[in-house]
Amino acid sequence: MAASATVAMSEIVWGMALRTLVRVGRCREDLLSRSFAEQEELQMGSGQTVAVFGAYGHTGRFVVTELRDRGFVPLLVGRDVGRLQALAASHPGLEFRVASVDDPASLDQALKGAVAVINCAGPFASTAAPVIEAALRTGVPYVDVAAEIEANLDTFTHFTDRAQAAGVAVVPAMAFFGGLGDLLVTTAMGDWTAADEAHVAYGLSGWHPTAGTLASGTVSRERRAGRRVRYTGGRLEYYVDECDLPTVEWDFPAPMGRRIVLGGFTMADVVTVPSHLPIPEVRTYMTTDAAEDLAAPDAPAPAAVDEFGRSAQTFTVDVVVRAGDTQRRVVASGQDIYAVSAPLAVEAVRRILGGRTRTSGVASAGEIFDAPDFLRALSAHIALEPCHESRVPRLA
């Protein structure tokens, strides 16, 4: 997957490696250092029932646990009765309901009595639309953890008007890919109303994919029919390129440090970020080691190493936005990209139910929520570096 040679770094990426001319900028994230306890009173779920479609999947299990920890009552939903029974046995007192995406009546029945639904079942190209339809019919908010570019694009394309008319919040990609990056880009934008470029670099220590990730990847490749995708010139563009993806040296903060990343490794941020921010160039990058893990024919599944069920995988998400000759940078780090998707999705539900949203209908994380405040609420799961603003160095 990785290219054989490293291309020269662009002027912007080269500037990211420098630590000079740095000052604290007027980023929204400036307030992140203030304690969450000082900002708001924690509102727990108060026993509200939240349906989890695909509850027995890898990410779904993390979501179920997070909901319980936050005071919600998870309602276990899926099509496999045996797996639902097994999961319910490990969570005494929880109800389960069998439902399938090809049976609308079963979905409606599954959502009965729930105040929201979190869709954790991929491929989302198959599950998102039917579950959103059920959410609209029953009038409950919908959140999913989709990383599939096309599935997220479909959600914006097909449900924006209907969700807005129904007054129902629909938040796709409320997960590590698509959601976290959008929150970080929005935070870095701060008081800017537009920018020229946004770069989202994913530094993963490795990537042991779940069966759901592999299945979703297969569906996405089939839909693209051999094409690649990028966001450039203010639009999503599909193109054919027989060459390997280019590689770039990226200077992540310590302890990750300088790594080789794949340029053009396009993730869901190319849908979520431009959905509400006027940035004509949105580029995402992935460390080559992680990309090679993902592509390996015998890639192992994630293995738990702690009492929370997390894998040993660590991540750093390095975001840089540029407007003219000024750039802003914000960095997030943590453990296990699947596990961290649970607090992202559950916090989204909590805020929607509490009325702490900025819009309705279909919206990405950065648009519907106060981005820095949202990130502050995740301080137990995600470490953030202070946002910095700097001048872009000029090459001689």
Side-chain angles (χ1 to χ4, degrees):
M1 177 179 290
S4 58
T6 301
V7 300
M9 289 185 290
S10 71
E11 183 172 298
I12 301 306
V13 175
W14 182 80
M16 297 172 204
L18 300 183
R19 305 297 183 179
T20 57
L21 299 176
V22 177
R23 67 178 176 82
V24 174
R26 291 176 295 172
C27 305
R28 291 186 185 177
E29 191 259 343
D30 287 346
L31 296 177
L32 286 173
S33 60
R34 294 164 62 181
S35 117
F36 176 54
E38 295 174 344
Q39 298 302 308
E40 63 176 8
E41 179 181 354
L42 182 61
Q43 298 177 2
M44 303 302 279
S46 302
Q48 294 174 299
T49 297
V50 175
V52 183
F53 187 71
Y56 45 70
H58 187 82
T59 302
R61 289 173 177 269
F62 284 116
V63 169
V64 168
T65 299
E66 182 71 16
L67 283 168
R68 297 198 78 172
D69 290 346
R70 299 295 293 273
F72 291 98
V73 178
L75 174 59
L76 314 180
V77 182
R79 65 180 181 180
D80 189 320
V81 64
R83 297 178 71 182
L84 285 170
Q85 289 174 331
L87 181 60
S90 66
H91 289 278
L94 293 189
E95 180 185 356
F96 70 85
R97 295 176 184 172
V98 179
S100 173
V101 295
D102 56 7
D103 183 354
S106 71
L107 289 172
D108 292 351
Q109 180 61 31
L111 299 189
K112 188 175 181 180
V115 296
V117 58
I118 302 176
N119 183 7
C120 300
F124 291 89
S126 301
T127 68
V131 181
I132 293 172
E133 293 280 7
L136 293 179
R137 287 193 299 269
T138 55
V140 300
Y142 169 94
V143 170
D144 71 33
V145 296
E148 299 161 45
I149 292 171
E150 288 77 17
N152 286 309
L153 185 62
D154 287 346
T155 295
F156 279 98
T157 301
H158 300 305
F159 292 102
T160 294
D161 292 341
R162 291 176 56 197
Q164 181 69 39
V168 173
V170 173
V171 186
M174 195 62 246
F176 179 78
F177 292 118
L180 179 57
D182 184 38
L183 290 167
L184 292 170
V185 171
T186 305
T187 292
M189 286 289 288
D191 57 350
W192 290 353
T193 57
D196 299 310
E197 297 177 352
H199 302 265
V200 183
Y202 289 100
L204 308 186
S205 62
W207 191 350
H208 293 171
T210 64
T213 293
L214 295 175
S216 295
T218 297
V219 170
S220 292
R221 286 191 297 273
E222 290 173 350
R223 293 186 68 174
R224 294 173 194 170
R227 299 171 298 168
R228 292 176 180 170
V229 61
R230 61 192 172 196
Y231 190 85
T232 184
R235 65 186 182 90
L236 202 65
E237 175 183 277
Y238 286 86
Y239 66 102
V240 176
D241 190 341
E242 299 299 328
C243 298
D244 290 338
L245 291 174
T247 58
V248 172
E249 286 188 335
W250 192 284
D251 190 28
F252 290 96
M256 179 158 283
R258 182 168 292 186
R259 297 293 182 95
I260 304 299
V261 299
L262 286 175
F265 195 97
T266 308
M267 303 304 291
D269 311 281
V270 301
V271 176
T272 55
V273 171
S275 72
H276 68 107
L277 293 174
I279 305 177
E281 303 291 329
V282 180
R283 304 168 189 168
T284 60
Y285 311 78
M286 178 64 67
T287 43
T288 55
D289 289 347
E292 289 167 359
D293 284 348
L294 179 64
D298 56 350
V305 297
D306 64 19
E307 68 273 24
F308 304 109
R310 297 180 300 180
S311 72
Q313 178 197 54
T314 59
F315 64 80
T316 299
V317 185
D318 194 354
V319 166
V320 174
V321 295
R322 179 184 68 83
D325 63 355
T326 303
Q327 65 183 27
R328 289 175 174 174
R329 182 183 194 182
V330 61
V331 182
S333 58
Q335 180 180 345
D336 193 327
I337 64 175
Y338 298 107
V340 82
S341 294
L344 281 160
V346 173
E347 179 64 17
V349 167
R350 188 178 75 84
R351 288 176 180 247
I352 293 169
L353 296 177
R356 299 176 59 194
T357 56
R358 296 183 164 187
T359 188
S360 61
V362 180
S364 71
E367 180 180 17
I368 196 169
F369 303 119
D370 180 330
D373 188 62
F374 194 107
L375 291 170
R376 185 165 52 247
L378 300 181
S379 60
H381 308 278
I382 298 173
L384 291 130
E385 290 195 4
C387 183
H388 289 93
E389 181 176 295
S390 65
R391 298 291 295 277
V392 178
R394 296 293 182 184
L395 295 174

